[in-house]
Amino acid sequence: MLTLAPVCGPEAPIARANPVAKLAAVVLLTTVALVASDWLTPLLLLAALFLVLPFTGIRPGPLARRLRWLWVAAGAVVVVNAVFAAEQTGRTLVEFGPVEVSTGALLGGVAIGLRVCVAATAGVLVFATTDPTDLADALTQQLKAPARFTIGSLAALRLLPLLAAEWRQITTARRARGLEGGWNPVRRARLFASTMFALLVGAIRRAGRLAAAMDARGFDTEIPRTHAREQRMRPADWAVVALAVAAGAAAVAVSAAAGTFTL
């Protein structure tokens, strides 16, 4: 069965935490990383996230596969900001024609890249340890999010693996009929566009059927709905939020003591 399920064990401490508590922890850590303009604060927050990794139940391999493109994007952010900085300050490290990279620009780029890494890693850790149904229940019960929007988003998340399976089926069927792009970039682009169009048409049809089915089951009414599984904040959940606050405060304090913290 195609499902979007967490990749960790259900007995992991972070996996058992309330989804709202985990979202609050991510918001706190990401806010601290984005507010601080130095490189040391997001580096310390990233180290704190890796220290939490054993408590998530996620193996390093699946986590690396989920993060690889996000970290590649963070590396590209570092290079772009270092090369195209508005002002090159400090000692010149690289000078090749019109391209110049100095220590100040490189540290600025590294700081921005580390912020991207903190936000990406924290988000992946939360969603990789959270069941989508638990997240929807927590949003509707604790944050009072509209049930129609929340359950519709849950249905969309449940259908994501189906899109990947349909993509593989379409490409396999076309390959069996000899429709391959080979090394021709124009032909590959055309095949990619036609495959995306086929997926879009199927997704629109499926969304229409799903919306009609949800309205038939009363999701379009204003009647308060009951929940099969109640979500509450337990002491362990408050401990997750407190640890996030402590990690953010400790990172800021260490950066300020080192003389690198700036806003």
Side-chain angles (χ1 to χ4, degrees):
M1 183 173 60
L2 297 173
T3 58
L4 190 68
V7 297
C8 65
E11 299 302 322
I14 300 298
R16 296 198 307 266
N18 188 287
V20 171
K22 289 187 278 190
L23 287 177
V26 168
V27 170
L28 287 169
L29 294 179
T30 305
T31 301
V32 173
L34 294 178
V35 168
S37 300
D38 63 305
W39 59 271
L40 184 56
T41 301
L43 180 62
L44 293 173
L45 292 176
L46 190 61
L49 289 174
F50 280 108
L51 289 176
V52 175
L53 184 59
F55 302 97
T56 62
I58 305 176
R59 296 187 302 274
L63 180 63
R65 285 194 295 271
R66 289 177 176 237
L67 285 173
R68 62 183 184 276
W69 295 115
L70 297 173
W71 282 52
V72 168
V77 168
V78 173
V79 173
V80 170
N81 282 273
V83 174
F84 299 102
E87 184 179 2
Q88 298 286 346
T89 59
R91 183 169 59 89
T92 300
L93 299 175
V94 177
E95 187 172 3
F96 183 75
V99 178
E100 181 182 356
V101 178
S102 64
T103 55
L106 181 60
L107 286 177
V110 168
I112 297 175
L114 287 173
R115 291 179 217 163
V116 174
C117 290
V118 170
T121 305
V124 168
L125 285 178
V126 166
F127 286 102
T129 58
T130 303
D131 184 79
T133 303
D134 292 337
L135 177 60
D137 288 340
L139 290 177
T140 53
Q141 294 179 43
Q142 296 178 278
L143 298 185
K144 306 303 179 183
R148 188 177 184 182
F149 169 78
T150 305
I151 299 176
S153 301
L154 172 62
L157 284 174
R158 293 295 189 188
L159 291 176
L160 280 179
L162 185 59
L163 287 178
E166 287 186 347
W167 178 276
R168 289 191 296 269
Q169 291 175 358
I170 294 173
T171 53
T172 303
R174 290 183 173 182
R175 191 178 300 113
R177 294 196 298 267
L179 299 177
E180 287 188 290
W183 295 99
N184 189 332
V186 176
R187 185 174 176 82
R188 290 178 69 91
R190 289 178 178 175
L191 288 174
F192 179 82
S194 62
T195 305
M196 287 295 295
F197 182 74
L199 277 181
L200 177 63
V201 171
I204 292 175
R205 290 176 178 174
R206 192 178 299 109
R209 293 194 299 267
L210 182 61
M214 291 177 65
D215 289 346
R217 287 167 172 81
F219 286 96
D220 194 28
T221 64
E222 298 296 333
I223 300 175
R225 305 187 65 85
T226 58
H227 300 274
R229 296 184 294 184
E230 293 188 2
Q231 296 286 340
R232 293 190 180 93
M233 290 289 289
R234 300 166 300 174
D237 302 323
W238 290 110
V240 171
V241 179
L243 286 174
V245 173
V252 171
V254 172
S255 300
T260 62
F261 180 77
T262 55
L263 294 176

